[in-house]
Amino acid sequence: MTNKQAAGARARTRLTPAAVVDAALGLLGDEGLDAVTTRAVADRLGVRMNTVLWHIKTKRRLLELMADAIAGTIAYDDLPAGAGERAAELMRRYRASLLAHRDGAALVTGTYAAEPHTLRFADTLLTALGEHEDTAEASARTLYALVYFTLGLTQEEQAMGDTDGARFREAVEKGPYPALRASREILAEDSFADRFEDGIRRVLGPATTP
């Protein structure tokens, strides 16, 4: 074994998949999702890119592990006893975990993280929905509706930041948009938090106030 090969072996031994994921999440927070590449993570760790790939294989795999790490921040203590309220609270905590990470929703969208933290969240949510819905099929479809709605809304929230309500109202007022004009105030003024709570209520039913 050459000195170069020995150094590479030592670097792989010292490094762990968890350390790679932590570095990638740090890069995500500092520079955003577009900056997360295996080469950039390797540079952050001070190792060769092949050393990173030895642990996580592909960028897609890295994103899956990052998504699962985000799911790992969801807490399960003090959940409501009622099934609908429990499901709603789980979705609030899911949204909070996404918002806690820059581009968190964009990262999780498009991954299929069949990993422990993600599976635990899905199983806990599906258990609540199993008590809330009439059939297992309805529970599964409601899970999809809740997760997809939350991912889409949160991705929009993180991408847009503050919306320009005045600009929207002016454009609607000047154009041939009677339906929009009738609803312009609520469309312009509703916060993303308001939209989230309203959407969760519409999926689960009215008894889901925080």
Side-chain angles (χ1 to χ4, degrees):
M1 180 182 291
T2 66
N3 289 339
K4 186 175 181 179
Q5 289 171 327
R10 286 194 297 272
R12 289 193 296 270
T13 300
R14 289 195 304 269
L15 200 60
T16 65
V20 173
V21 172
D22 284 345
L25 289 171
L27 185 63
L28 178 73
D30 290 344
E31 301 185 38
L33 184 58
D34 288 343
V36 178
T37 65
T38 51
R39 184 176 298 280
V41 172
D43 289 345
R44 193 177 184 93
L45 289 166
V47 299
R48 294 180 181 274
M49 187 170 71
N50 284 344
T51 301
V52 169
L53 291 173
W54 192 82
H55 285 282
I56 52 90
K57 309 307 179 189
T58 64
K59 181 182 176 181
R60 173 171 288 277
R61 178 64 177 151
L62 174 62
L63 294 177
E64 289 174 352
L65 292 173
M66 292 170 69
D68 193 57
I70 289 175
T73 65
I74 300 170
Y76 297 93
D77 56 320
D78 299 322
L79 287 168
E85 287 294 334
R86 198 181 332 139
E89 178 59 23
L90 283 166
M91 294 313 301
R92 293 182 190 109
R93 297 183 187 190
Y94 179 65
R95 175 173 174 264
S97 75
L98 299 173
L99 288 173
H101 295 81
R102 180 176 176 178
D103 296 337
L107 165 65
V108 173
T109 300
T111 63
Y112 189 78
E115 302 296 325
H117 297 305
T118 304
L119 294 175
R120 181 187 181 190
F121 173 75
D123 190 70
T124 306
L125 177 59
L126 197 57
T127 298
L129 293 174
E131 300 172 21
H132 184 71
E133 303 287 352
D134 294 331
T135 66
E137 179 180 353
S139 299
R141 294 192 182 281
T142 302
L143 180 147
Y144 276 137
L146 290 169
V147 170
Y148 290 154
F149 163 70
T150 303
L151 279 174
L153 180 78
T154 309
Q155 188 169 352
E156 184 86 351
E157 181 176 2
Q158 291 185 308
M160 289 182 64
D162 294 330
T163 57
D164 190 344
R167 180 184 171 194
F168 169 77
R169 281 190 292 267
E170 182 180 357
V172 168
E173 191 64 37
K174 290 181 177 179
Y177 313 112
L180 284 174
R181 189 176 299 116
S183 302
R184 65 184 180 276
E185 292 306 319
I186 189 71
L187 291 173
E189 297 300 331
D190 250 16
S191 68
F192 280 102
D194 291 334
R195 296 171 200 176
F196 171 77
E197 289 295 336
D198 182 72
I200 293 297
R201 178 184 61 79
R202 290 176 186 278
V203 174
L204 289 172
T208 55
T209 53

